[in-house]
Amino acid sequence: MKNSYDIVVIGGGPAGLAAAIAAYDNGVKDVLILEREDGLGGILNQCIHNGFGLTRFKESLSGPEYAARFIDGVKERNIEVCTQTTVLSLTKEKTVTAINAENGVFTLQAKAVVLAMGCRERSRGALNVAGSRPSGIYSAGTAQKYVNIKGYIPGKSVVILGSGDIGLIMARRMTLEGAKVHAVCEIMPYSSGLKRNIAQCLDDFGIPLYLNHTITKIEGEKRVTGVVVSRVDENKKPIKGTEKHFDCDTVLFSVGLIPENELTKSAEIPLSPRTRGAVVYQNRETEARGVFACGNVLQVHDLVDFVSEESELAGKAAADFVQNGESVRNEIEVVNGKNIGYVVPQRLDKNIKGNVKLFFRATNAFRDCTITAKCGNQILMQRKKKIVVPGEMETLILTETKLAESNGTIEVELEEGV
Amino acid sequence: MFDVIVIGGGVIGGTVLRELTKYRLSVCLVEKENDVCMGQSKANSGIVHAGFDAAVGSLKAKFNVDGNKMMPAYAAELGVKYLNNGSLVLAFSKEEMQTLQELKARGESNGVPDLRVIDQATLREKEPNVSENAVGALYAPTGGIVCPYGLTIAAIGNAMDNGAELFTDFEVNEIKKNGSSFAVKSADGREVEGTLVVNCAGLASGKIAALAGDNDVRIGARKGEYILLDRESGNFVSHTLFCTPTKKGKGILVTQTVDNNILLGPTSEEMEKGNTDTSETGLAFIIDKVRGMTKNPPLYNTITSFAGVRAYSDKHDFIIEESKTVKGLIHCAGIESPGLTSAPAIAKYVAEEIVAKILNPQKNETFNGKREKDYFFKDLSTEEKNVIIKKDPSYGKIVCRCEQITEGEIVRAIRENPPAKNIDAVKRRTRAGMGRCQGGFCQPHVAELIARELGIPFEKVTKNGNGSEIVVGVSK
């Protein structure tokens, strides 16, 4: 362990791994990955289902297999790794304070930092779901950890709130482990999960999906004994008289991922309220020079393939920063327009060469869509898509030429049925 | 054979137990749950009341004011977090300002120092986030906050370090008086014998009294729901904010906790028996009230909601006396608010004025009231941390990321008096699981440590005692 490194990568999951490898391959060998778990791989380690890597490797890999491709890459390059190490704080000046058993509390100085801390799950408590607080209530990811990593079943009779990917995957996982999954409830009128997961996790197993429903009460003293589920109105308020009761011993909550930006906040690096991740430029540099962000800590992704792609951008940019120093920016803003929830990156630097891939999500499910990136009244790029849903991240490529032509804020918007 | 058996491991039973170890007495505490502090003392606002609320001449008033004076030193000795943050009773109308004058007068009769009514400008200065509609407040500088479960656990732990014994999972179902001693039996067949019994059984103190033959203790239950906000919003208010009591009720509190969370609540709902469910209406009530009291409360930072139950006596005052019908049975019953504040004073009174007068015991010269400071590792300086990590590397391993709690602290909680035997017990002692992810990341790790330290299979690790096992079996 040295006192300083060229690049410190915080997080050894798919984002951190890809960023570290990219930085190395772009000429900066002095890279350190700090990881708080026992080993590398991040959340992929507990995602034993397949479907990872379809875009990137044209194969359907399990989470650990996908991670292994990158872990091998880190090993081959002899990139330094510190596991069981938690970063306690970060400054804008790239001083990293961390703790582990071997070194105690220690400080490192980095020339560049890559933030790759991933997400945490929203809990039942944050939703104020009424009722009792017995054993048997888990966020879907924690249940997944118990089953896939620790080797234990959290329960035998399950109701799930949230039809995002983690909820869907766990509906299948629990069923395969011998549990009865009575229902997946979803407060929105549509599922935010990948279409293939609805088919492969619910339809294939005959698990009913109740859209426009939420759990309004949990029952049970020491252990869950049941839940009350209600239909909701357009304002997401439970409708009296629509209550349905399910006997069960387990409730899984899959109700949202929140990027873990405590360190980002401690460094006073601006976050976007829309993504809850850092505001970044197309090279994933934050407002703090030499600090980059990628993966779920920046925006919650659906596909790890895009995480790797984004993180390679960040890793390469970190290497550029170390080798060439702070560049002069020529910046314009990117904003979300009609029917668009957010766009990443939120800033573009016209001095950075190359095409830009804009990532965004729609605010609702739309059909026959026309997606437009415009600057003032000038249309820069336009794309048509038959179906766009919030649960599937979309992209739009802005060529270098178009970027060079833009002299004001770029807005991305979606029109339906045009 | 014990000199004194204390029934009930809440803050009253715990502080009484500790006070008794200042004498050369053999004492024990029997607690029906798997851990101490699982009843009323667990879900408590943590307010150290100034004492203007209690009726003049009541036991509540007397013990409140005495307890308030004792609390800073009492908490410090036990290494428990306490903060003298001051209380503000908000008024929203001329009538309420008048009521504040009455509260002030009542407080002064009770012996509360330094009360003053402040105007809108002063109020805004003290609390910038108070609603624009608040016209003034009663300021009670002696109001404070303490950790209610921290205090309970520390008092019991210190009592045990001084020789007291603790029996958990001991649900009293029989109390027989044999001549001059009591045989106290548990539902699972254990028995303890003692000369005196102190009834600190909270909601069950009526039942305990009746088991011993005293039918004069009648306890009612009133539920209170709370909402807790993340530490990120910890500076939203600095004083504890109350509402002026009106005919409609008492309103809710908005307060910091000693750990820098923001606590909203409690509601007040009569219950037939103890039930700690939260309800849609209760939570909605809290949200409505806090929006009336403050500007833009950061409700988006809600991390959990919970409920507790108050045990009140039909006399609407504390019952702290030897039973009139059963000699040797001492009641500490109906200890609702300001029970936590009063605890150090109640304990002192029970030990000195009741027990000692009956048993005439000698002082315990070896009594050591100091418990190691209840610091959390993260509050130490880097140098202090590194000294500890060098000696014990498990302090270098963070288990609860949200609260930065180390493996060393969790293991210590499992080993130290009173030992933590389940997930919630570890949580109450260390804060592991109290952060924004509510145990999403750390619960499996904590469960593993409990299994390892107690030498039990993982499937036997519980959330809070038998029946609340974390997992139900091994996966395929």
Side-chain angles (χ1 to χ4, degrees):
Chain A
M1 175 106 295
K2 305 188 290 152
N3 289 340
S4 63
Y5 290 82
D6 282 348
I7 298 178
V8 171
V9 177
I10 305 179
L17 294 170
I21 290 171
Y24 187 100
D25 290 351
N26 277 283
V28 176
K29 315 289 180 201
D30 187 31
V31 177
L32 171 70
I33 300 175
L34 298 176
E35 166 54 50
R36 60 190 181 187
E37 293 275 15
D38 295 347
L40 297 170
I43 208 73
L44 287 176
N45 289 336
Q46 64 185 61
C47 299
I48 64 174
H49 50 285
N50 56 14
F52 299 94
L54 287 170
T55 315
R56 188 178 177 95
F57 298 118
K58 308 281 182 278
E59 298 178 59
S60 182
L61 303 172
S62 68
E65 284 173 315
Y66 188 99
R69 303 269 164 113
F70 293 84
I71 295 172
D72 289 347
V74 163
K75 286 207 178 90
E76 281 155 22
R77 291 162 179 75
N78 251 316
I79 294 175
E80 192 173 339
V81 175
C82 252
T83 55
Q84 301 197 358
T85 303
T86 302
V87 175
L88 299 174
S89 64
L90 172 70
T91 69
K92 256 190 295 233
E93 293 78 33
K94 290 154 285 191
T95 311
V96 177
T97 305
I99 183 173
N100 63 26
E102 214 181 287
N103 306 98
V105 179
F106 60 96
T107 314
L108 302 169
Q109 186 55 51
K111 293 204 180 117
V113 171
V114 178
L115 304 173
M117 296 87 75
C119 280
R120 67 175 183 271
E121 290 181 285
R122 185 172 280 117
S123 69
R124 174 265 181 113
L127 298 185
N128 271 342
V129 176
S132 55
R133 294 165 304 287
S135 179
I137 302 170
Y138 304 98
S139 59
T142 308
Q144 189 181 54
K145 183 156 205 172
Y146 276 121
V147 178
N148 295 344
I149 306 273
K150 305 291 181 192
Y152 295 100
I153 320 266
K156 292 214 154 68
S157 171
V158 188
V159 172
I160 301 178
L161 179 63
S163 66
D165 290 318
I166 311 173
L168 299 175
I169 293 291
M170 282 313 291
R172 179 175 65 187
R173 171 58 42 209
M174 294 298 287
T175 307
L176 290 172
E177 293 291 341
K180 173 88 180 125
V181 178
H182 302 282
V184 173
C185 300
E186 168 57 58
I187 201 171
M188 300 300 272
Y190 50 79
S191 161
S192 61
L194 297 170
K195 293 190 283 285
R196 69 162 189 255
N197 283 334
I198 309 259
Q200 295 169 11
C201 299
L202 298 187
D203 300 340
D204 286 356
F205 292 89
I207 297 171
L209 172 64
Y210 292 88
L211 297 175
N212 295 304
H213 278 72
T214 193
I215 294 177
T216 49
K217 187 172 182 212
I218 298 180
E219 300 166 340
E221 235 192 85
K222 286 290 201 202
R223 177 87 199 188
V224 173
T225 53
V227 293
V228 175
V229 168
S230 297
R231 183 170 257 281
V232 298
D233 62 24
E234 332 69 63
N235 297 315
K236 309 290 166 254
K237 297 278 170 258
I239 301 170
K240 283 253 168 311
T242 66
E243 293 85 10
K244 246 193 288 279
H245 185 274
F246 290 94
D247 288 342
C248 61
D249 70 0
T250 307
V251 190
L252 298 190
F253 282 86
S254 171
V255 292
L257 293 178
I258 302 168
E260 280 225 60
N261 277 298
E262 308 317 314
L263 294 177
T264 323
K265 284 182 211 166
S266 81
E268 293 174 338
I269 296 172
L271 300 180
S272 156
R274 276 174 236 295
T275 56
R276 298 187 73 159
V279 170
V280 292
Y281 294 77
Q282 69 264 48
N283 63 351
R284 297 309 186 263
E285 189 174 19
T286 66
E287 296 281 28
R289 304 312 305 258
V291 180
F292 302 81
C294 54
N296 275 359
V297 79
L298 176 62
Q299 55 173 333
V300 177
H301 287 260
D302 326 301
L303 298 176
V304 72
D305 308 55
F306 287 149
V307 167
S308 302
E309 185 183 313
E310 174 168 79
S311 306
E312 284 169 340
L313 278 177
K316 175 175 185 299
D320 280 345
F321 184 88
V322 170
Q323 291 160 332
N324 304 318
E326 202 172 294
S327 62
V328 176
R329 285 173 170 159
N330 180 0
E331 55 181 276
I332 55 178
E333 233 190 307
V334 183
V335 296
N336 54 309
K338 185 174 176 193
N339 293 326
I340 299 290
Y342 74 80
V343 186
V344 168
Q346 299 92 343
R347 307 257 186 282
L348 295 176
D349 180 358
K350 288 165 74 167
N351 290 340
I352 297 178
K353 298 296 155 218
N355 296 339
V356 175
K357 195 186 251 184
L358 298 175
F359 292 82
F360 56 91
R361 287 185 193 272
T363 53
N364 215 326
F366 296 106
R367 298 188 152 277
D368 299 320
C369 314
T370 305
I371 301 157
T372 311
K374 62 186 197 190
C375 182
N377 284 319
Q378 194 208 348
I379 293 180
L380 302 170
M381 287 297 301
Q382 205 168 62
R383 228 185 91 205
K384 286 197 190 299
K385 193 148 191 236
K386 250 207 140 15
I387 296 173
V388 171
V389 290
E392 306 207 8
M393 197 188 271
E394 296 289 346
T395 58
L396 187 63
I397 304 216
L398 206 58
T399 60
E400 189 178 323
T401 327
K402 290 288 176 187
L403 176 56
E405 282 170 20
S406 309
N407 284 312
T409 300
I410 294 178
E411 189 174 317
V412 179
E413 63 178 29
L414 185 152
E415 279 286 0
E416 192 178 25
V418 173
Chain B
M1 173 77 184
F2 292 95
D3 293 315
V4 189
I5 301 168
V6 176
I7 301 180
V11 73
I12 301 301
T15 49
V16 165
L17 185 76
R18 176 174 182 257
E19 215 57 29
L20 294 174
T21 59
K22 290 181 178 172
Y23 298 95
R24 297 235 292 250
L25 293 169
S26 61
V27 297
C28 74
L29 188 144
V30 298
E31 162 55 51
K32 81 169 190 243
E33 300 284 358
N34 184 244
D35 186 30
V36 301
C37 199
M38 280 181 59
Q40 289 83 70
S41 304
K42 168 167 83 83
N44 183 299
S45 316
I47 311 301
V48 181
H49 292 280
F52 48 78
D53 189 54
V56 178
S58 65
L59 293 179
K60 281 181 180 176
K62 169 183 145 69
F63 287 114
N64 183 155
V65 174
D66 289 347
N68 176 291
K69 288 201 192 85
M70 293 170 71
M71 190 62 83
Y74 194 89
E77 201 182 17
L78 286 175
V80 171
K81 290 185 187 175
Y82 161 85
L83 188 66
N84 178 209
N85 67 329
S87 301
L88 288 168
V89 184
L90 305 179
F92 291 84
S93 68
K94 264 216 175 80
E95 292 79 35
E96 292 188 1
M97 286 296 281
Q98 186 50 44
T99 311
L100 290 187
Q101 296 292 349
E102 292 163 26
L103 281 181
K104 176 168 180 283
R106 193 194 306 163
E108 281 158 358
S109 303
N110 288 338
V112 178
D114 305 331
L115 288 169
R116 58 187 184 278
V117 176
I118 60 176
D119 64 13
Q120 196 178 59
T122 316
L123 174 60
R124 290 274 164 70
E125 225 183 305
K126 284 192 188 300
E127 284 295 352
N129 285 322
V130 162
S131 161
E132 301 289 334
N133 299 325
V135 297
L138 174 66
Y139 175 44
T142 57
I145 50 177
V146 76
C147 183
Y149 43 87
L151 190 66
T152 306
I153 289 163
I156 295 174
N158 183 244
M160 291 170 76
D161 290 343
N162 282 297
E165 283 187 55
L166 172 68
F167 301 102
T168 55
D169 296 295
F170 195 114
E171 181 164 1
V172 175
N173 69 346
E174 197 183 301
I175 302 179
K176 259 198 166 67
K177 185 112 197 264
N178 302 316
S180 59
S181 74
F182 292 89
V184 176
K185 296 195 178 134
S186 77
D188 66 356
R190 284 176 285 167
E191 184 181 313
V192 287
E193 261 192 85
T195 309
L196 300 179
V197 169
V198 187
N199 175 10
C200 305
L203 272 185
S205 29
K207 169 187 158 210
I208 295 296
L211 283 177
D214 179 344
N215 292 310
D216 205 29
V217 176
R218 284 168 297 275
I219 304 294
R222 210 181 312 118
K223 182 165 77 175
E225 301 183 34
Y226 294 91
I227 293 176
L228 189 73
L229 307 183
D230 189 30
R231 286 185 293 113
E232 192 186 59
S233 298
N235 293 324
F236 183 62
V237 299
S238 55
H239 300 79
T240 298
L241 307 182
F242 295 77
C243 284
T244 307
T246 65
K247 284 187 196 64
K248 282 191 242 143
K250 270 178 137 173
I252 63 162
L253 310 169
V254 179
T255 183
Q256 263 188 346
T257 67
V258 289
D259 300 300
N260 230 50
N261 291 95
I262 295 290
L263 186 63
L264 313 174
T267 58
S268 185
E269 191 190 332
E270 201 62 40
M271 308 246 52
E272 208 183 274
K273 59 174 200 140
N275 167 298
T276 55
D277 284 5
T278 53
S279 65
E280 281 178 83
T281 45
L283 298 174
F285 178 85
I286 297 172
I287 291 170
D288 181 61
K289 282 270 168 268
V290 68
R291 287 191 171 139
M293 289 166 75
T294 60
K295 289 196 279 220
N296 297 319
L299 292 163
Y300 57 83
N301 258 337
T302 297
I303 55 175
T304 193
S305 44
F306 58 93
V309 187
R310 309 162 180 86
Y312 67 89
S313 82
D314 64 351
K315 297 175 173 56
H316 298 288
D317 197 4
F318 297 157
I319 301 174
I320 301 176
E321 61 191 19
E322 192 176 7
S323 163
K324 295 188 176 73
T325 46
V326 181
K327 261 181 85 67
L329 174 66
I330 299 160
H331 296 308
C332 291
I335 314 292
E336 54 168 336
S337 181
L340 172 67
T341 312
S342 306
I346 292 174
K348 185 167 196 275
Y349 177 83
V350 169
E352 292 177 4
E353 301 301 324
I354 306 182
V355 173
K357 295 230 160 100
I358 299 172
L359 297 180
N360 285 309
Q362 296 193 312
K363 286 243 160 216
N364 175 8
E365 305 302 338
T366 67
F367 176 80
N368 177 3
K370 263 198 101 43
R371 184 164 152 107
E372 210 184 314
K373 190 160 158 284
D374 180 17
Y375 56 78
F376 292 111
F377 194 72
K378 66 178 170 180
D379 295 335
L380 299 180
S381 71
T382 302
E383 294 72 37
E384 291 171 311
K385 284 183 177 135
N386 282 332
V387 166
I388 293 174
I389 294 172
K390 255 227 140 48
K391 272 189 265 175
D392 182 352
S394 71
Y395 281 88
K397 201 169 172 213
I398 302 269
V399 172
C400 166
R401 290 78 179 257
C402 299
E403 297 292 313
Q404 295 193 350
I405 310 298
T406 65
E407 181 177 306
E409 293 164 88
I410 293 169
V411 170
R412 174 178 152 195
I414 300 170
R415 293 179 185 172
E416 186 181 57
N417 282 333
K421 294 184 279 192
N422 59 54
I423 300 274
D424 282 359
V426 167
K427 181 174 77 161
R428 278 187 293 275
R429 288 155 180 69
T430 63
R431 277 186 71 78
M434 284 191 176
R436 48 191 72 99
C437 90
Q438 290 287 290
F441 269 131
C442 67
Q443 195 197 74
H445 291 281
V446 174
E448 267 182 345
L449 290 171
I450 292 173
R452 182 191 86 188
E453 288 291 312
L454 299 185
I456 59 175
F458 196 88
E459 298 98 297
K460 287 252 181 305
V461 176
T462 66
K463 183 176 186 288
N464 54 23
N466 272 340
S468 68
E469 285 74 14
I470 298 292
V471 297
V472 302
V474 177
S475 72
K476 293 189 181 170

